[in-house]
Amino acid sequence: MTFPALNVFPPNALSTGVDGRDEDASVHDQVYEALANLLIQGQIPPGKSVSLRTLASGLGVSPMPVREAVRRLIAQKALELQPSNKRLRVPSLSEDRLKQLMMARQWVEPELAFRAVAAMTKDTIAELKADDQRLMAALGKGDVDGYMQANHAFHFRIYRLAQADLFLDMAKTLWLQSGPFMRVVFGRLGTVQLPQDHHQELIRAFETGDAAAVRQHMSDDVHEGMELMLEALKR
Amino acid sequence: MTFPALNVFPPNALSTGVDGRDEDASVHDQVYEALANLLIQGQIPPGKSVSLRTLASGLGVSPMPVREAVRRLIAQKALELQPSNKRLRVPSLSEDRLKQLMMARQWVEPELAFRAVAAMTKDTIAELKADDQRLMAALGKGDVDGYMQANHAFHFRIYRLAQADLFLDMAKTLWLQSGPFMRVVFGRLGTVQLPQDHHQELIRAFETGDAAAVRQHMSDDVHEGMELMLEALKR
DNA sequence: TTCCCTAATTTGTGATCACATTTTCGAGGC
DNA sequence: GCCTCGAAAATGTGATCACAAATTAGGGAA
């Protein structure tokens, strides 16, 4: 198994009080965030079956809040109930579905980037550069997980600026669905031939405030990444 | 209150066995369908607060399956938990959010219609004509609810044909979010000045297999309806 | 009548139990 | 060694209970 064991959650997968900043959030929200992070970064492979009680004991909570978090993830198609078993698993992607994912991402994410231009600040640009450096460093070390995480941080740091909640939610849902498969593909390709991302051009376009260029570069970035996945799926 | 009382569900809001065709579906799925229908047809006004136990007793089930159905609807932004109260209600739409809804619907629904062209049959066209006749009849009688229902049936009869699950889910989510507000606006306008829908042109384009025209007419139809809502919101 | 304070009710959340179905796994037979 | 069968374990679903927080209702004082 090329994936980290699922049953080992980080010691504080749920923020536990003082140090955690979400101590007032409900348990099922925290469980949701924990699971969503795992999925979006591809830490759970497609087809992998999970179970309420296993997750619950792994997180140190009762099955109840896990049920609610899982129900939410099912609604986002980030998890599915097998029709035969009614058992829980991470969905696999058909070529058809992947193409729809690609089209949707290529519609919503350039739009989000476009809207982020107006709200972009020097500080955020600095943070984006830091994200990109972490990304390059991960590439250098062959650290696929690090790449996934830095790439996610980079993109959503931009999207959050757009102040377009509906579009942001759509993007989250789409990433939740593509994360597991993306991780498999990128893990198989190795970090050497990972996408020539357009983050540099993107940052430059943000610096000059060229909204049209931002939109175009984001479109290219998404397109290139998804194209890799599509080729991998066909083979 | 211009809306039907929420607490009166139709005698068999949940299909109960022999006559119901979903007798094998889980209870929370049936509850979800019942609630989703109410919302998509605008039977629950924006801002209306609902409660798990009220819904549960109204449907004759325990609160448990209602919780799961509601959690799913919250994930789709068809319901929300007020941050202060943590109480459940139907969300209201800001102008900003409505614009995003409009953009998203105008992207996904023409695409769905476009894809439906290849799968369109004589039978389905006949059903579409029947839907449209029900719609016109409702308009004539001033029956806003009938209009909402026929319009929904017409559109999703098309979308289901597209065989694009992801896009179909996106459309459902968007309708769930716009339903309650749409009902308010159309109820206020009265059926006399309801949108000049483009259903006739749409049907004709389907009959001739003109996919480009289908896409255009669907775009116009969505645009016109949403434009009415936008104007109403600004006032 | 109007205002305010208290008690009763209602609410969402989490835990626990019960149950039918499915999967897992090991003993026994070939 | 390989297969088969049956008991044990695990799984999703639904119901019920407990609890803290919030809302509502009602009665008494001005």
Side-chain angles (χ1 to χ4, degrees), chain B residues 95-127:
Chain B
E95 179 179 339
D96 201 59
R97 191 166 186 88
L98 180 58
K99 284 181 178 171
Q100 291 175 56
L101 264 180
M102 179 163 66
M103 283 188 63
R105 288 193 52 191
Q106 256 193 299
W107 175 74
V108 75
E109 295 184 37
E111 175 67 24
L112 279 164
F114 178 81
R115 291 176 180 228
V117 172
M120 186 59 69
T121 65
K122 274 201 166 69
D123 285 351
T124 307
I125 287 183
E127 292 168 344

Side-chain angles (χ1 to χ4, degrees), chain B residues 17-235:
Chain B
V18 278
D19 46 15
R21 60 188 188 285
D22 293 335
E23 55 188 270
D24 57 332
S26 55
V27 178
H28 70 249
D29 272 330
Q30 299 177 47
V31 172
Y32 171 82
E33 293 298 337
L35 289 179
N37 270 335
L38 285 182
L39 287 167
I40 227 171
Q41 288 166 17
Q43 312 255 355
I44 316 180
K48 171 89 178 182
S49 67
V50 296
S51 92
L52 295 181
R53 286 174 176 85
T54 304
L55 291 173
S57 69
L59 290 163
V61 299
S62 88
M64 194 64 244
V66 179
R67 277 166 75 169
E68 309 216 38
V70 159
R71 191 58 58 186
R72 194 168 153 193
L73 289 164
I74 291 175
Q76 299 180 291
K77 310 288 178 184
L79 292 175
E80 71 178 358
L81 288 169
Q82 330 187 97
S84 53
N85 289 359
K86 305 233 167 198
R87 259 175 168 74
L88 205 57
R89 74 172 168 197
V90 179
S92 296
L93 286 181
S94 66
E95 179 179 339
D96 201 59
R97 191 166 186 88
L98 180 58
K99 284 181 178 171
Q100 291 175 56
L101 264 180
M102 179 163 66
M103 283 188 63
R105 288 193 52 191
Q106 256 193 299
W107 175 74
V108 75
E109 295 184 37
E111 175 67 24
L112 279 164
F114 178 81
R115 291 176 180 228
V117 172
M120 186 59 69
T121 65
K122 274 201 166 69
D123 285 351
T124 307
I125 287 183
E127 292 168 344
L128 286 176
K129 286 180 177 171
D131 288 332
D132 196 46
Q133 278 179 351
R134 284 198 301 133
L135 188 150
M136 298 302 283
L139 279 186
K141 287 188 300 185
D143 173 10
V144 180
D145 290 321
Y147 170 83
M148 293 286 291
Q149 183 173 349
N151 192 42
H152 173 239
F154 180 90
H155 279 260
F156 279 83
R157 193 181 302 284
I158 295 172
Y159 302 157
R160 272 194 303 270
L161 282 187
Q163 295 201 286
D165 286 351
L166 177 60
F167 293 162
L168 181 61
D169 283 333
M170 289 176 62
K172 277 184 191 166
T173 298
L174 296 171
W175 277 63
L176 277 173
Q177 292 182 50
S178 38
F181 185 64
M182 197 188 314
R183 174 63 179 78
V184 171
V185 172
F186 288 1
R188 201 147 48 195
L189 291 178
T191 53
V192 186
Q193 37 184 331
L194 275 196
Q196 287 280 2
D197 56 52
H198 300 193
H199 293 187
Q200 306 287 347
E201 293 102 311
L202 217 29
I203 290 174
R204 216 167 311 138
F206 273 121
E207 282 176 327
T208 61
D210 185 345
V214 164
R215 175 175 252 140
Q216 184 59 50
H217 288 310
M218 184 57 81
S219 177
D220 292 344
D221 191 57
V222 170
H223 179 74
E224 204 155 327
M226 294 301 277
E227 199 62 50
L228 273 182
M229 291 170 63
L230 201 54
E231 284 168 22
L233 188 60
K234 282 178 178 166
R235 248 177 310 131

Side-chain angles (χ1 to χ4, degrees), chain A residues 26-28 53 62-65 85 87:
Chain A
S26 55
V27 179
H28 71 250
R53 286 174 175 86
S62 88
M64 195 64 242
N85 290 359
R87 258 175 169 75

